[in-house]
Amino acid sequence: MSPTSVAPLDVWAEPRRSRPMTLLSRVGTLCLVELEKLRHDRSELLTRSIQPVLWLLIFGTTFSRIRAIPSGGVPYLDFLAPGIIAQSALFVAIFYGIQIIWERDAGVLAKLLVTPTPRAALVTGKAFAAGVRASVQAVVVTVVAVLMGVSIIPNPLRWLGVIVVVVLAAAFFACLSVIIAGLVLKRDRLMGIGQAITMPLFFGSNALYPVDVMPGWVRAIAVVNPLSYEVSALRGLLLGTPTNLWLDLGVLAGAAGVAIAVASALLGRLAR
């Protein structure tokens, strides 16, 4: 995040508003900031799309020919596409804590923390700003998947549900990144930990293969991995495969809520 992309500090200082209104105002402001950043740097969308597109082109088409992975009666490329959408959102959000550390080093975070804005509002705003970025990335990957022949249900309400799912999951992973930042306090340490956990999160989910074919210990990881519930929800919405959508949404919303609370508690440690 460049210095010019940070909202003026007087925007955050509105003590007369109620806490719910303050929270909504901060979330909306940070989401607008994120969209403004994307408008000024569209090339980032292209560069971030390369990896998920390669997964679809190489891994998806190859394993579709091999037919080594059961996909529940749908073509494997269709089965894989929601997993790659979830992966792209994960990779966008998991390093979001770096922005918090940058703001700490630039003195912006300390100024934000002395305003009347609740810490939970700041963290929630950052989390859902990551959700906006992840949603744009998900749209790009979805368009590529459709061009490759993935059969997606043409229902705008389902697509709206996809955005909700991606935003909730990205909010959780962004807050997880902020939690790690609050513990390690250094950008290089955060980068190392982020790189170390992204692949286990991805491979320890149902993004590439169904839970039924996993070894028992991997299945246990998948059950507690929020990414699995994101992928299940995306498959249900985009492909119409059986899933408990309310359970998926409940797990994602609950995980995001807990992560926001923990990240809010650690935010002050970053500013010391």
Side-chain angles (χ1 to χ4, degrees), residues 156-238:
L157 289 178
R158 286 178 176 263
W159 297 343
L160 180 61
V162 167
I163 297 299
V164 172
V165 169
V166 170
V167 167
L168 286 174
F172 166 75
F173 290 117
C175 286
L176 177 61
S177 182
V178 174
I179 291 170
I180 297 171
L183 294 173
V184 302
L185 304 176
K186 300 289 186 180
R187 272 176 285 188
D188 54 347
R189 293 176 185 172
L190 174 59
M191 286 290 294
I193 294 174
Q195 291 171 352
I197 66 174
T198 47
M199 285 297 103
L201 282 170
F202 180 51
F203 288 110
S205 73
N206 57 352
L208 300 178
Y209 28 69
V211 175
D212 295 341
V213 304
M214 297 177 180
W217 63 275
V218 180
R219 189 179 305 175
I221 294 173
V223 169
V224 298
N225 186 352
L227 191 67
S228 295
Y229 296 91
E230 179 186 7
V231 174
S232 294
L234 292 176
R235 285 200 180 112
L237 290 166
L238 293 174

Side-chain angles (χ1 to χ4, degrees), residues 27-47:
V27 172
T29 299
L30 282 168
C31 289
L32 289 174
V33 169
E34 198 66 27
L35 287 173
E36 188 69 14
K37 287 164 57 183
L38 287 175
R39 189 175 69 85
H40 287 293
D41 188 14
R42 297 185 182 93
S43 63
E44 184 178 353
L45 286 176
L46 178 62
T47 56

Side-chain angles (χ1 to χ4, degrees), residues 109-129:
L109 182 59
K111 294 177 181 178
L112 290 175
L113 289 177
V114 299
T115 68
T117 303
R119 291 181 181 181
L122 294 174
V123 173
T124 304
K126 292 288 186 184
F128 283 91

Side-chain angles (χ1 to χ4, degrees), residues 2 18 63 91 129 138 173 227 232 246:
S2 64
S18 64
F63 276 78
F91 287 2
F173 290 117
L227 191 67
S232 294
W246 291 113

Side-chain angles (χ1 to χ4, degrees), residues 128-154:
F128 283 91
V132 169
R133 182 180 289 269
S135 298
V136 176
Q137 184 72 35
V139 169
V140 174
V141 178
T142 301
V143 170
V144 173
V146 170
L147 292 176
M148 292 179 62
V150 173
S151 300
I152 290 176
I153 299 175

